[in-house]
């Protein structure tokens, strides 16, 4: 899939300003494109919105242990 430059990228409001964040495009139906905020022209990972929500829920509940 060719990723358009017209994506509306959002960074978490919990970002510490240290550029250690990911950004998620919010204007793509059923998909959640994710990229490294330090490399906006780098690779983009595509997840379903449901899969990304499940991952975020699991991470918030400590299911991956201390990282």
């Amino acid at each position: 899939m060719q990723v358009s430059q017209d994506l509306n990228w959002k960074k978490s409001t919990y970002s510490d300003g240290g550029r250690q964040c990911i950004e998620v495009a919010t204007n793509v139906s059923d998909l959640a494109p994710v990229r490294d905020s330090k490399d906006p022209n780098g690779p983009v990972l595509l997840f379903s919105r449901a899969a990304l929500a499940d991952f975020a829920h699991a991470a918030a509940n400590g299911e991956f242990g201390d990282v």
Side-chain angles (χ1 to χ4, degrees):
M1 172 182 178
Q2 180 73 25
V3 178
S4 169
Q5 296 295 335
D6 296 330
L7 295 177
N8 184 20
W9 294 101
K10 298 288 184 178
K11 191 182 327 182
S12 170
T13 58
Y14 290 99
S15 171
D16 65 3
R19 294 175 42 107
Q20 302 297 324
C21 299
I22 62 168
E23 296 175 321
V24 178
T26 59
N27 59 330
V28 181
S29 178
D30 297 328
L31 290 177
V34 176
R35 70 180 182 185
D36 184 344
S37 64
K38 294 183 304 298
D39 188 9
N41 295 316
V44 173
L45 301 175
L46 293 175
F47 299 96
S48 71
R49 290 218 170 267
L52 188 59
D54 288 345
F55 172 79
H57 179 75
N61 287 319
E63 294 183 30
F64 302 115
D66 293 332
V67 195

